[in-house]
């Protein structure tokens, strides 16, 4: 009996943690804080990162949380995925940022372009295989789903019904009511055009179904904004914004906007977002600790307040999950894809979009 | 002699400043535009400006310019920028000459306030003006909303994203520049000539057309030149509201931030710079030609 208990006690620490990333316990937190104090002494108390837009995936809340709890200033940055990558290319070998966040497709491209320093944060094994790079050049922290973020008040004023399907958006009654951001600048916007391709039967090398759809959508588009359309969408200037579901839920639940989320009836795709250590980072120790922290339930729970689904499922509280209900459509019809193959087609598809959609008369 | 030396010393800070912040970057820009380009869409990984003088000599090429002038898209951007800027410059002068005249010639309560209000648009960056136009003339802007309330039809909705919206926005931030420059010119105007015309029985229109405009033409043309240069370079407005209308500054922005094609962006900058400079020089020359009287 005593032996059995001893064996059980010995087994507990070895027990696989499985889906719950509860490795950030009191002891780990104390170690984390001590390491952070050391890093602060060596590198100061400011951590610069790229693509931390306060209204995107609750970066504003995350940075405030981190500053309040751990005393490191982590200022916002208005770059988007593509502009962050362009900035890192321009600034090598002396980048300004130590840490970077992207749309996973763009972040993987950046990794392949040698802009990241491999780093496997604490709790690496808890990240599912498809959510991390085998060499540690990036890992995902959460994911969104491409959806229609619908400002119902603005749509009602325009006397148009809430659209349910991709096929609705190209109808003439939605003229000047739809927008998605410029996919050559914004990562999420790239996933918007990727999803338009994917649900219409396109493939990694056949862009025609996507481009044909986007051409038909073009007359209904208000503009292809280079900056995020979060505020115009909340205000009603853009009644239908093709963007992340989380942006719509945030407008609805946090900003009190007349906003609903629609998952299109033909289906949609999910897009992960990843983080990485920048090569030649000015403050690598702070950045590594921040990456450790981003892989904890604590961090991902703060992100999840903005309705992006955390990679560690335990970080999604039932209260938040309950608020992620689309007005129409469901999360059952999501179409899978292979991320590495998608990464390879990003540039060619963007080029096709520039030539045939944006520059088309 | 001593005075001249100290005068030279006083100029030195500006010369040094211009050298560091104007001449050096321009030379760099010109050199960089001759380096083979290629952005992230072509799989770019290398950093910007990572060339030494020796490497530069080996790789120097005109391919960026060949691409620029061989691609109808970039030529159309250039054409749009030039035509829009010229139209804006002429339009804003026509719009601002009367207020400038009023500011010089009449006294009225609140004149200082009027002038101060006129200069407000100068304080805003282009991006802010762009957002303002969206709020006023957007899909559901203030003006369409009021018109909808009055007439039941949201007239002028979506104007912000059209060419008209761009024109309104550009004229908006040209107003203070044009008014202030014209005001300074009108101040120097010899009003005895106007008084003589009036005593000879000329109507207001005759005085304006036969006396004022010919005498002020040099100032008008140099105001057009200034407004043209400002419009050519302004990109914040276009970034926010230009949907289908491609303009060179927005293309430069996209080449840098979207495609990381810094060399091609440099070539675009050089072309824009050359076009702006030559147009400006030509306009100023034109202005000098039109001096009716030699300067006293």
């Amino acid at each position: 009996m005593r032996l059995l208990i001893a064996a059980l006690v010995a087994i507990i620490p070895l027990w696989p943690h499985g889906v719950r990333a509860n490795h950030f316990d009191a002891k780990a937190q104390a170690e984390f804080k001590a390491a952070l104090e050391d890093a602060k002494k060596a590198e100061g108390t400011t951590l610069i990162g790229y693509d931390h837009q306060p209204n995107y995936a609750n970066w504003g809340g995350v940075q405030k949380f981190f500053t309040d709890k751990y005393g490191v200033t982590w200022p916002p940055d208005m770059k988007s995925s593509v502009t962050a990558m362009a900035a890192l290319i321009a600034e090598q070998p002396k980048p300004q940022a130590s840490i970077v966040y992207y749309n996973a497709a763009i972040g993987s491209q950046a990794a392949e372009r040698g802009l990241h320093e491999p780093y496997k944060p604490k709790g690496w094994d808890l990240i599912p295989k498809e959510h991390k790079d085998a060499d540690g050049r990036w890992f995902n922290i959460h994911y969104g789903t491409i959806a229609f973020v619908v400002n119902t008040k603005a749509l009602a004023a325009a006397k148009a019904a809430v659209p349910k399907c991709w096929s609705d958006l190209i109808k003439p009654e939605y003229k000047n009511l739809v927008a998605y951001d410029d996919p050559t600048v914004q990562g999420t916007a790239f996933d918007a055009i990727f999803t338009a391709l994917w649900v219409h039967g396109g493939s990694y090398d056949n862009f025609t179904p996507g481009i044909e759809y986007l051409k038909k959508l073009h007359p209904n588009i208000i503009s292809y904004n280079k900056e995020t359309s979060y505020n115009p969408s909340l205000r009603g200037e853009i009644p239908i914004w093709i963007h992340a579901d989380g942006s719509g839920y945030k407008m609805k639940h946090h900003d009190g906007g007349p906003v609903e989320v629609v998952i299109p009836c033909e289906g949609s795709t999910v897009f992960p977002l990843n983080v990485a250590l920048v090569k030649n980072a000015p403050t690598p120790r702070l950045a590594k600790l921040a990456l450790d922290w981003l892989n904890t339930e604590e961090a991902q729970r703060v992100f999840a307040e903005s309705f992006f689904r955390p990679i560690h499922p335990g970080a999604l509280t039932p209260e938040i999950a309950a608020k992620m209900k689309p007005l129409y459509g469901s999360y059952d019809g999501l179409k899978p894809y292979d991320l590495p193959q998608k990464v390879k087609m990003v540039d060619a598809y963007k080029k096709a979009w520039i030539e045939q959609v944006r520059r088309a008369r | 002699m001593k005075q001249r030396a100290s005068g030279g010393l006083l100029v030195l800070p500006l010369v040094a400043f211009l050298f560091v912040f104007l001449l050096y970057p321009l030379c760099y820009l010109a050199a960089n535009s001759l380096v083979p380009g290629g952005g992230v869409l072509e799989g770019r990984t290398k950093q910007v400006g990572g060339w030494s003088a020796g490497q530069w000599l080996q790789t120097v090429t005109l391919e960026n310019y060949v691409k620029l002038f061989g691609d109808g898209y970039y030529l159309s951007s250039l054409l749009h920028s030039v035509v829009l800027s010229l139209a804006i410059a002429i339009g804003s002068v026509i719009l601002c000459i009367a207020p400038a005249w009023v500011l010089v010639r009449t006294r009225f309560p609140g004149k200082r306030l009027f002038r101060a209000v006129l200069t407000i648009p100068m304080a805003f960056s282009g991006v802010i003006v762009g957002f303002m136009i969206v709020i006023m003339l957007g899909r559901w802007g203030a003006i369409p909303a009021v018109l909808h309330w009055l007439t039941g039809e949201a007239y002028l909705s979506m104007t912000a994203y059209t060419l008209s919206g761009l024109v309104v926005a550009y004229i908006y931030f040209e107003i203070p520049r044009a008014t202030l420059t014209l005001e300074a010119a009108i101040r120097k105007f010899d009003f005895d000539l106007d008084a003589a015309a009036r005593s000879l029985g000329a109507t207001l229109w005759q005085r304006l057309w036969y006396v004022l405009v010919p005498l002020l033409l040099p100032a008008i043309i140099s105001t057009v030149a200034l407004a043209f240069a400002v419009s050519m370079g302004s990109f914040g407005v276009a970034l926010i509201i230009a949907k289908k209308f491609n303009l060179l500054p927005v293309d430069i922005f996209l080449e840098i931030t979207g495609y990381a094609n810094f060399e091609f962006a440099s070539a675009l900058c050089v072309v824009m710079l050359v076009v702006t400079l030559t147009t400006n020089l030509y306009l100023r020359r034109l202005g000098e030609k039109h001096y009716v009287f030699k300067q006293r």
Side-chain angles (χ1 to χ4, degrees), chain B residues 176-238:
Chain B
R177 289 172 180 89
T179 313
L180 296 183
T181 326
L182 288 168
E183 191 195 341
I186 293 170
R187 227 170 251 294
K188 280 196 248 163
F189 178 70
D190 185 354
F191 286 101
D192 292 345
L193 293 171
D194 182 49
R198 199 189 325 201
S199 68
L200 289 170
T203 61
L204 178 73
W205 179 249
Q206 284 173 324
R207 274 155 56 209
L208 201 72
W209 193 242
Y210 294 111
V211 181
L212 188 73
V213 169
L215 285 171
L216 284 179
L217 203 58
I220 288 173
I221 290 175
S222 77
T223 310
V224 167
L226 174 80
F228 172 77
V230 172
S231 291
M232 277 296 281
S234 156
F235 104 112
V237 177

Side-chain angles (χ1 to χ4, degrees), chain B residues 29-208:
Chain B
L29 199 69
N32 205 38
S33 73
L34 297 172
V35 173
V40 285
L41 296 186
E42 284 85 36
R44 182 192 187 113
T45 58
K46 66 182 165 56
Q47 70 191 77
V48 55
W51 37 264
S52 65
Q55 282 170 323
W56 184 81
L57 276 175
Q58 275 174 4
T59 59
V60 66
T61 167
L62 283 173
E63 66 172 47
N64 291 322
Y65 291 97
V66 171
K67 178 180 166 189
L68 200 164
F69 290 110
D71 190 328
Y73 174 79
Y74 296 106
L75 286 180
S76 73
S77 297
L78 179 63
L79 189 72
H80 288 169
S81 279
V82 170
V83 171
L84 180 72
S85 301
L86 265 182
I88 298 296
I90 294 167
S92 53
V93 165
I94 292 171
L95 199 69
C96 293
I97 195 154
W101 179 264
V102 168
L103 277 174
V104 176
R105 287 304 281 171
T106 54
R107 274 194 210 151
F108 57 92
K111 185 169 148 183
R112 280 186 184 185
L113 187 70
F114 179 64
R115 186 189 280 122
V117 168
L118 271 183
T119 56
I120 286 177
M122 203 144 67
F124 298 140
S125 77
V127 174
I128 294 174
V129 175
F131 280 126
M132 191 270 302
I133 295 294
V134 170
I135 288 168
M136 296 305 292
L137 286 168
R139 197 197 60 78
W140 197 242
I143 293 172
V146 168
L147 290 174
H148 181 262
W149 179 68
L150 286 174
T151 66
E153 196 67 48
Y155 294 110
L156 298 178
S157 169
M158 294 294 292
T159 310
Y161 307 100
T162 63
L163 186 56
S164 323
L166 270 177
V167 170
V168 172
Y170 274 64
I171 285 194
Y172 177 81
F173 67 70
E174 293 291 9
I175 287 172
R177 289 172 180 89
T179 313
L180 296 183
T181 326
L182 288 168
E183 191 195 341
I186 293 170
R187 227 170 251 294
K188 280 196 248 163
F189 178 70
D190 185 354
F191 286 101
D192 292 345
L193 293 171
D194 182 49
R198 199 189 325 201
S199 68
L200 289 170
T203 61
L204 178 73
W205 179 249
Q206 284 173 324
R207 274 155 56 209
L208 201 72

Side-chain angles (χ1 to χ4, degrees), chain A residues 82-83 86 89-90 92-93 113 154 176-177 184-185 218 221-222 226 236-237 239 347 351 354 358-359 361, chain B residues 40-48 73-74 138-140 158 161 243-244 246 254 256-259 262:
Chain A
V82 185
T83 46
I89 290 175
Q92 286 294 341
R113 283 163 188 176
N176 292 337
L177 296 178
T184 65
V185 180
H218 184 72
I221 293 288
I222 299 169
K226 279 99 190 162
E237 176 68 19
D347 291 338
K351 271 187 180 169
I354 295 170
R358 189 171 68 200
R359 288 186 187 173
R361 299 280 119 180
Chain B
V40 285
L41 296 186
E42 284 85 36
R44 182 192 187 113
T45 58
K46 66 182 165 56
Q47 70 191 77
V48 55
Y73 174 79
Y74 296 106
R139 197 197 60 78
W140 197 242
M158 294 294 292
Y161 307 100
K243 178 198 169 188
K244 292 174 182 168
N246 47 318
L254 282 172
I256 293 172
T257 63
Y259 321 142
F262 307 100

Side-chain angles (χ1 to χ4, degrees), chain B residues 212-280:
Chain B
L212 188 73
V213 169
L215 285 171
L216 284 179
L217 203 58
I220 288 173
I221 290 175
S222 77
T223 310
V224 167
L226 174 80
F228 172 77
V230 172
S231 291
M232 277 296 281
S234 156
F235 104 112
V237 177
L239 182 73
I240 302 297
I241 60 182
K243 178 198 169 188
K244 292 174 182 168
F245 200 73
N246 47 318
L247 290 166
L248 209 50
V250 180
D251 284 332
I252 294 171
F253 169 85
L254 282 172
E255 288 295 333
I256 293 172
T257 63
Y259 321 142
N261 194 348
F262 307 100
E263 293 78 15
F264 186 65
S266 300
L268 287 174
C269 289
V270 168
V271 167
M272 190 167 98
L273 202 76
V274 168
V275 169
T276 311
L277 265 181
T278 44
T279 313
N280 231 307

